[in-house]
Amino acid sequence: MSTSRTSDRIHRRRQVAVTSLAAAALTLTAASCGSHSGSPAGAAGSAPVPTATGSTVSGQATALGTILVDGQGRTVYEFANDKNSMSTCAAGCAANWPYVPAPAPLPKSLPGVTGTLGMATRADGNRQLTVAGHPVYTFVGDSTPGQTNGQGVNLNGGVWTVVSPAGAPVTNPSPAGSMTQNPIGPGY
């Protein structure tokens, strides 16, 4: 066997080892960031976890108080940069913060929602739900009901906050020890 082939094999083995170590370190980092102390979600004494209702949005109790969640129980957010009931979140932003579609016809009310429901037409022509004039979104960083990983995130020159049943931003931080303390990764 030539020295060149042996050297190539050794180099490939080192690359595999380094890649494996990097993947393991990333997995451990993500696990420690995503872990929470205390009782598992839904256990006695822990904060309530929103449930899927199938409704476009509904008001439900969480560790942050009563907030709006979508039909799958995922937290609903608003973006401080949105003005005059119009979304400024498009392209890469919209990939991370999917808008909540406005149902047709628009209902006069939804369970637990006290803010006025409305609709904004997005730049792509789609209908987005508004609550009290604020376009609403979910966050891809929330993988399960009850997570509020987007709370207080400052991106694209504006802050993302969970939405109260009245449609106002909830500005208190995510509670310590909850399952909501996952930072988002680089790139957005």
Side-chain angles (χ1 to χ4, degrees):
M1 183 181 304
S2 74
T3 305
S4 176
R5 281 187 176 160
T6 303
S7 177
D8 285 345
R9 282 187 180 163
I10 291 171
H11 180 71
R12 275 189 239 128
R13 286 181 185 157
R14 284 182 184 156
Q15 282 181 322
V16 168
V18 168
T19 302
S20 297
L21 287 173
L26 181 60
T27 301
L28 288 173
T29 301
S32 68
C33 288
S35 66
H36 58 86
S37 60
S39 305
S46 67
V49 175
T51 57
T53 64
S55 215
T56 303
V57 294
S58 64
Q60 294 200 23
T62 70
L64 292 174
T66 301
I67 64 170
L68 295 183
V69 298
D70 72 0
Q72 287 75 48
R74 292 184 51 190
T75 302
V76 172
Y77 297 87
E78 62 182 50
F79 185 38
N81 276 9
D82 290 346
K83 302 291 183 220
N84 302 320
S85 297
M86 297 304 299
S87 173
T88 60
C89 181
C93 175
N96 287 295
W97 302 90
Y99 69 91
V100 176
L106 188 66
K108 291 197 182 286
S109 65
L110 289 168
V113 181
T114 58
T116 303
L117 299 174
M119 185 273 308
T121 303
R122 297 179 54 79
D124 62 7
N126 289 318
R127 297 165 40 107
Q128 181 173 4
L129 182 69
T130 63
V131 180
H134 302 283
V136 293
Y137 310 80
T138 58
F139 179 48
V140 298
D142 292 341
S143 58
T144 61
Q147 290 184 322
T148 55
N149 295 321
Q151 174 67 354
V153 171
N154 189 342
L155 292 170
N156 290 355
V159 176
W160 292 88
T161 52
V162 299
V163 182
S164 76
V170 175
T171 57
N172 54 317
S174 294
S178 73
M179 53 191 264
T180 63
Q181 300 298 310
N182 294 336
I184 61 171
Y188 181 73

